[in-house]
């Protein structure tokens, strides 16, 4: 996984001065490149990258920044995808990984999904139904022959 | 978790305080980079002559004599309650008071100790530890943790 697009200097600053995992989590989420990471890679890819770094015997600041960026990127995924990846890949064995994952799970889903199905294209002319015999233009109702479900 | 230790630490009411020492180290290059970027970004912030360490964090400096790190807001709230801290307003604030920098949901992002009061309160000088970097003497507003009106002052006040 290519993590070169991450703004290493800024992320390293945040990493260095974070007193709490919650602060690091919030600040990392403000970085556009971290969100972009979540669009570029699947949840399982992000977690695999984090775990791969976690398994290194010697980790420098860049490693830790990349690892935490992957975990925070994971929190932009839907909860289902996020949970599934964790269940399959496990939590990386580094200090703030459990905290970041917990923070992510407290967030609302990043987007809600609604499915609209249009059953068919209109096949007949709109029906114009008058309410009474002495009506004005504002009294008319137009009914389009769409069949739609939510 | 490898490289972590905790101390037996208690509040004045003998309630345990969850804490962790960390032994992560920064490379000389990382230290130099941070020093340079903070020097440019936070005018008036003076790095104290101490090596960066992750043994203690800001809350460890403020509430645990620089022996360990405390990361959880609930632990800090417990200390404030058990150790009889009371909220102090800006006009009353003085050297020796604790300053808290709060996050959007009331999380305690950062803490320090006021060492010099200024007539303009946000220009008062604070001693604090910045994460696993080092200690700074800095005007209240000259740090990453400051946002408009997100600070509180507290003072131990036994009755």
């Amino acid at each position: 996984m290519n993590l070169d697009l991450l703004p290493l200097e800024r992320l390293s600053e945040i990493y260095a001065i974070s007193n709490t995992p919650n602060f690091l989590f919030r600040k990392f989420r403000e970085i556009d490149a971290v969100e972009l990471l979540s669009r570029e890679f699947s949840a399982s890819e992000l977690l695999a990258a984090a775990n791969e770094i976690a398994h290194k015997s010697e980790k420098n600041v860049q490693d830790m920044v990349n690892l935490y960026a992957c975990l925070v990127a994971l929190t932009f995924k839907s909860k289902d995808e996020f949970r599934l990846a964790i269940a399959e890949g496990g939590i990386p064995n580094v200090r703030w990984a459990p905290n970041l994952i917990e923070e992510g799970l407290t967030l609302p889903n990043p987007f809600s999904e609604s499915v609209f199905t249009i059953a068919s294209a209109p096949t007949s002319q709109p029906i114009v139904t008058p309410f009474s015999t002495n009506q004005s233009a504002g009294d008319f109702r137009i009914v389009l022959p769409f069949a739609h479900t939510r | 978790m490898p490289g972590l230790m905790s101390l037996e630490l208690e509040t004045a009411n003998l309630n345990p305080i969850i804490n962790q020492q960390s032994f992560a180290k920064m490379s000389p290059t990382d230290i130099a980079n941070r020093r340079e970027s903070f020097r440019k970004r936070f005018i008036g912030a003076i790095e104290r002559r101490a090596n960066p360490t992750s043994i203690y964090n800001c809350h460890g400096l403020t509430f645990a004599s620089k022996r360990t790190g405390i990361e959880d807001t609930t632990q800090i709230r417990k200390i404030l309650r058990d150790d009889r801290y009371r909220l102090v307003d800006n006009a009353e604030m003085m050297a020796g008071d604790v300053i808290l920098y709060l996050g959007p949901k009331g999380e305690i992002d950062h803490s320090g100790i006021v060492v010099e009061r200024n007539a303009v309160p946000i220009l008062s000088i604070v001693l604090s530890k910045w994460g696993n970097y080092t200690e700074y003497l800095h005007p209240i507003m000259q740090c990453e943790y400051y946002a408009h009106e997100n600070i509180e002052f507290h003072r131990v006040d036994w009755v």
Side-chain angles (χ1 to χ4, degrees), chain A residues 120-141:
Chain A
S120 60
T123 54
S124 57
Q125 293 298 310
I127 303 160
V128 180
T129 311
F131 286 116
S132 67
T133 50
N134 297 321
Q135 69 277 65
S136 64
D139 293 328
F140 282 88
R141 188 165 60 138

Side-chain angles (χ1 to χ4, degrees), chain A residues 8-23 26-27 30 59-62 64 92-99 103 106-108, chain B residues 1-2 4 20-22 24-27 30 33-34 37-38 41 54 57-59 70-72 103-104 107-110 129-133 144-145:
Chain A
L8 187 63
E9 274 304 299
R10 177 62 184 140
L11 292 171
S12 298
E13 263 185 18
I14 297 168
Y15 171 75
I17 60 156
S18 290
N19 296 294
T20 67
N22 174 275
F23 182 84
R26 290 195 338 258
K27 291 288 177 179
E30 289 172 6
K59 292 180 275 293
N60 59 25
V61 168
Q62 183 172 351
M64 294 307 295
N93 187 24
V94 292
R95 190 179 182 193
W96 285 352
N99 308 76
E103 293 283 352
T106 64
L107 295 173
Chain B
M1 205 66 67
L4 297 175
Q20 272 185 337
Q21 295 175 327
S22 165
K25 297 238 183 250
M26 295 175 77
S27 72
D30 287 323
N33 288 345
R34 296 293 73 75
S37 67
F38 295 151
R41 286 186 59 205
S54 54
N57 65 356
C58 64
H59 302 319
I70 305 169
E71 296 172 355
D72 189 345
E107 314 93 323
I108 303 175
D109 285 342
H110 186 55
K129 170 86 169 17
W130 294 7
N132 56 24
Y133 191 53
E144 181 83 33
Y145 318 97

Side-chain angles (χ1 to χ4, degrees), chain B residues 32 49 58 79 81 106 159:
Chain B
R49 290 194 175 186
C58 64
I79 294 169
R81 183 195 64 221
V159 180

Side-chain angles (χ1 to χ4, degrees), chain A residues 1 37 40-51 70 74 77 85:
Chain A
M1 181 181 289
L37 206 59
E40 296 271 324
F41 300 101
S42 70
S44 54
E45 285 172 327
L46 290 167
L47 192 63
N51 273 316
C70 287
L74 199 58
K77 298 286 187 186

Side-chain angles (χ1 to χ4, degrees), chain A residues 48-135:
Chain A
N51 273 316
E52 189 181 326
I53 299 168
H55 285 122
K56 288 172 81 170
S57 54
E58 294 281 321
K59 292 180 275 293
N60 59 25
V61 168
Q62 183 172 351
D63 290 329
M64 294 307 295
V65 162
N66 285 340
L67 192 161
Y68 285 148
C70 287
L71 288 182
V72 173
L74 199 58
T75 68
F76 285 99
K77 298 286 187 186
S78 75
K79 285 242 182 81
D80 287 346
E81 202 179 348
F82 184 9
R83 282 202 187 97
L84 185 64
I86 296 291
E88 288 176 348
I91 299 173
N93 187 24
V94 292
R95 190 179 182 193
W96 285 352
N99 308 76
L100 300 183
I101 287 165
E102 193 181 323
E103 293 283 352
L105 288 172
T106 64
L107 295 173
N109 257 333
F111 53 85
S112 59
E113 291 177 356
S114 301
V115 178
F116 294 89
T117 307
I118 297 175
S120 60
T123 54
S124 57
Q125 293 298 310
I127 303 160
V128 180
T129 311
F131 286 116
S132 67
T133 50
N134 297 321
Q135 69 277 65

